[in-house]
């Protein structure tokens, strides 16, 4: 089977790249390892027929490419509910507040505010064009946790900081490089764009689930599912791709999977050493997503927004993601921190029972249905939301993220200089790959 381009990976980046190439008149075929399209976008239905997004679900105000795509393909969105009082839950007391930053005791508030200010100023030192160059001394040698210990002295402020940044980055502060944190902030344009709801990355939600976007992008695309690529032979004459017993030839290849799973493919010749190491060093995040369904958003009746932040426990951050008319209640929460990570040692049934108890404790009522998803269970994805560098990663392997091995080109949100980790970043990476291919 001969094509102009083969795309490996049926997530949003791979599908968008295939669509762009097809619009140029090229013969394109997409291969997806899993039994479905969508990658890290995955919508299931509750027994009552409600759409449950186990993966990406939000569209930000600044996500211009994604917003335009939703308009073009008539993908319905609605505003994330954020009205009313939010809760910061600590072992000693519960704080209520509005806006983004919790209303802490004065000392903690000053400490947190000053720390966030210094973080934003530091991010401005980073160039998105070549983040592996001109790194200030020590900034890619330490973790975010090491920086935080020095610059945020108040204990409560540090706990709030950790919850906010771990749920944004998809990993723990002690795992991620300080320099990578700054890249992630600059990639979004600002820290506010990452953490704000109404004016940031969580402004809108897919009303009928992210599956609608995937279905629209897949229309008219030649693809196969349950076709994991086992081997790629590449050279000046193009590529030969083997997936099971099937063989494909093409002039070019776009690989739109997380770098962490690229080494699951046998490459002939072997990938250059820096690319093989990149696959090992850009490890995947370990967030567990939890979605609780109720008969109605009862918290709104008492003036609560449904948004909460906890300094202890497994479920640390939650949002009201109910439908616009409030036909049923939905809370989307995220499991981060030591307890959530320890739960990954447990079987799915034990994790399910734990999260059901904890959500009932936080919200005061047992949900009708509860879904919890650890993307670390997905062998062709490896984690969620996104890959991240530990100390030294950007200095030694950052350039390889964006280096094509013609006729092999890379896509996927990890490969984007803009909005890495988001659907918007996946679209940026697709456009970059298609442009670089130049076919």
């Amino acid at each position: 089977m001969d094509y102009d381009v083969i795309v490996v990976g049926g997530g949003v980046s791979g599908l968008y790249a295939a669509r762009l190439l097809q619009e140029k008149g090229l013969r394109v075929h997409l291969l997806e390892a899993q039994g479905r399209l969508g990658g890290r976008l995955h919508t299931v239905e509750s027994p009552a027929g409600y759409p449950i997004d186990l993966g990406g679900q939000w569209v930000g105000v600044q996500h211009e490419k994604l917003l335009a795509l939703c308009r073009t393909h008539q993908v319905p969105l609605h505003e994330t509910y954020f009205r009313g009082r939010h809760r910061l839950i600590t072992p000693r007391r519960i704080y209520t507040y509005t806006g983004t930053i919790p209303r802490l005791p004065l000392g903690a508030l000053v400490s947190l505010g000053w720390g966030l200010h210094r973080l934003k100023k530091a991010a401005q030192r980073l160039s998105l064009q070549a983040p592996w160059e001109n790194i200030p001394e020590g900034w890619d040698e330490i973790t975010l946790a090491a920086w935080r210990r020095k610059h945020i002295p108040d204990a409560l402020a540090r706990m709030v900081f950790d919850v906010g940044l771990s749920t944004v980055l998809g990993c723990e502060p002690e795992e991620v490089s300080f320099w990578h944190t700054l890249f992630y902030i600059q990639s979004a344009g600002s820290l506010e764009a990452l953490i704000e709801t109404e004016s940031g990355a969580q402004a809108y939600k897919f009303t009928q689930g992210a599956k609608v976007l995937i279905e629209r992008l897949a229309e008219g695309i030649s693809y196969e599912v349950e076709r994991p690529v086992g081997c790629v032979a590449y050279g000046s004459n193009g590529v030969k791709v083997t997936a099971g017993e099937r063989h494909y030839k093409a002039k070019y290849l776009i690989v739109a999977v997380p770098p962490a799973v690229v080494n699951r493919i046998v490459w002939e010749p072997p990938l250059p050493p820096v690319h093989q190491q990149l696959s090992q060093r850009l490890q995947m995040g370990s967030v567990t997503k939890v979605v609780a369904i109720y008969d109605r958003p009862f918290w709104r009746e008492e003036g609560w927004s449904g948004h909460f932040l906890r300094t202890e426990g497994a479920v640390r951050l939650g949002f009201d993601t109910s439908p616009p008319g409030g036909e049923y209640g939905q809370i989307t929460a995220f499991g981060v921190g030591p307890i959530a990570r320890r739960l990954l040692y447990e079987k799915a049934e034990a994790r399910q029972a734990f999260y059901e108890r904890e959500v009932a404790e936080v919200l005061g009522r047992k949900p009708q249905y509860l879904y919890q998803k650890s993307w670390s269970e997905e062998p062709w994805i490896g984690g969620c939301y996104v890959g991240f560098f530990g100390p030294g990663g950007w200095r030694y392997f950052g350039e390889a993220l964006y280096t094509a091995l013609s006729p092999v080109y890379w896509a996927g949100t990890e490969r984007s200089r803009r909005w890495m980790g988001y659907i918007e970043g996946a679209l940026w990476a697709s456009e970059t790959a298609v442009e670089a291919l130049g076919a």
Side-chain angles (χ1 to χ4, degrees):
M1 302 181 190
D2 292 358
Y3 299 95
D4 293 314
V5 186
I6 291 174
V7 178
V8 176
V12 65
S13 195
L15 285 168
Y16 186 52
R19 178 164 289 279
L20 292 175
L21 291 163
Q22 190 165 283
E23 289 173 353
K24 290 176 175 286
L26 299 179
R27 292 168 299 145
V28 185
H29 190 62
L30 183 147
L31 300 172
E32 166 56 44
Q34 300 187 102
R36 61 172 181 83
L37 296 175
R40 284 169 271 184
L41 304 188
H42 184 30
T43 308
V44 299
E45 285 191 356
S46 74
Y50 306 145
I52 311 294
D53 277 316
L54 299 178
Q57 66 179 23
W58 275 307
V59 181
V61 172
Q62 300 87 353
H63 296 172
E64 296 178 358
K65 294 183 186 299
L66 180 52
L67 285 168
L69 208 58
C70 289
R71 287 193 295 268
T72 298
H73 294 284
Q74 297 181 328
V75 178
L77 305 172
H78 65 269
E79 293 183 357
T80 301
Y81 189 88
F82 206 62
R83 297 186 293 277
R85 294 166 291 161
H86 320 317
R87 291 185 298 162
L88 168 63
I89 304 169
T90 75
R92 297 183 62 181
R93 61 167 290 187
I94 296 176
Y95 300 86
T96 62
Y97 64 101
T98 57
T100 302
I101 304 299
R103 187 177 299 162
L104 304 173
L106 182 59
L109 189 62
V110 170
S111 181
L112 179 62
W114 180 240
L116 292 175
H117 171 75
R118 297 196 68 165
L119 187 68
K120 290 186 285 187
K121 292 289 288 184
Q124 295 173 6
R125 298 278 298 274
L126 184 144
S127 166
L128 290 175
Q129 190 58 36
W132 52 89
E133 295 180 351
N134 302 315
I135 303 174
E137 184 176 357
W139 285 21
D140 198 29
E141 299 171 11
I142 62 171
T143 63
L144 175 60
W147 180 89
R148 175 262 283 146
R149 279 194 297 271
K150 181 177 180 181
H151 296 286
I152 304 180
D154 183 87
L156 178 57
R158 284 198 302 269
M159 288 190 285
V160 172
F161 178 90
D162 284 358
V163 174
L165 269 294
S166 61
T167 48
V168 163
L169 295 166
C171 58
E172 302 304 321
E174 59 267 28
E175 295 180 296
V176 63
S177 158
F178 176 59
W179 189 245
H180 182 84
T181 305
L182 301 184
F183 171 83
Y184 209 75
I185 293 169
Q186 281 294 85
S187 176
S190 69
L191 180 60
E192 289 80 2
L194 288 171
I195 65 175
E196 294 281 355
T197 298
E198 295 167 302
S199 60
Q202 291 72 233
Y204 308 106
K205 185 184 180 298
F206 295 108
T207 302
Q208 298 170 2
K211 69 174 182 180
V212 179
L213 175 65
I214 297 303
E215 290 168 352
R216 303 284 162 80
L217 286 177
E219 290 176 358
I221 299 296
S222 172
Y223 69 85
E224 295 175 72
V225 295
E226 296 185 320
R227 282 277 172 255
V229 171
C231 180
V232 172
Y234 65 103
S236 58
N237 294 324
V239 297
K240 297 179 180 179
V241 177
T242 301
E245 298 179 352
R246 298 192 180 186
H247 306 278
Y248 310 81
K249 291 182 180 180
K251 298 175 184 177
Y252 305 101
L253 180 72
I254 291 181
V255 180
V257 302
V261 300
V262 165
N263 276 355
R264 295 202 62 188
I265 301 171
V266 176
W267 295 86
E268 298 176 358
L271 293 176
V274 70
H275 284 268
Q276 297 203 41
Q277 287 279 290
L278 171 66
S279 186
Q280 301 170 30
R281 301 301 181 92
L282 196 75
Q283 57 192 305
M284 294 299 289
S286 300
V287 174
T288 297
K289 188 170 185 181
V290 180
V291 182
I293 302 295
Y294 292 87
D295 63 343
R296 69 187 194 282
F298 61 87
W299 48 89
R300 298 181 185 177
E301 299 165 8
E302 301 174 0
W304 300 103
S305 66
H307 177 54
F308 64 85
L309 186 154
R310 300 172 78 214
T311 59
E312 290 189 351
V315 173
R316 295 293 190 94
L317 190 69
F319 296 85
D320 181 343
T321 51
S322 307
E327 295 87 351
Y328 59 92
Q330 183 181 95
I331 293 289
T332 296
F334 300 91
V336 297
I339 296 177
R341 295 295 284 272
R342 186 66 193 174
L343 282 170
L344 296 180
Y345 283 87
E346 303 293 336
K347 293 182 179 180
E349 295 79 6
R351 296 199 304 269
Q352 177 79 13
F354 186 95
Y355 282 115
E356 285 179 354
R357 290 194 302 271
E358 197 161 81
V359 167
E361 177 186 334
V362 172
L363 296 175
R365 299 189 190 183
K366 182 179 178 180
Q368 287 183 328
Y369 314 110
L370 184 132
Y371 297 80
Q372 56 87 23
K373 175 69 174 177
S374 169
W375 286 85
S376 303
E377 298 170 320
E378 300 283 348
W380 286 99
I381 295 174
C384 216
Y385 330 116
V386 62
F388 66 93
F389 278 128
W394 273 107
R395 181 182 298 275
Y396 298 115
F397 306 104
E399 188 173 1
L401 267 178
Y402 311 113
T403 303
L405 301 172
S406 183
V408 178
Y409 297 84
W410 312 107
T413 190
E414 284 84 4
R415 308 281 184 172
S416 179
R417 288 180 169 87
R418 298 286 182 183
W419 283 103
M420 180 189 193
Y422 290 79
I423 303 171
E424 181 77 359
L427 302 179
W428 274 89
S430 300
E431 292 186 0
T432 301
V434 170
E435 182 179 345
L437 190 144

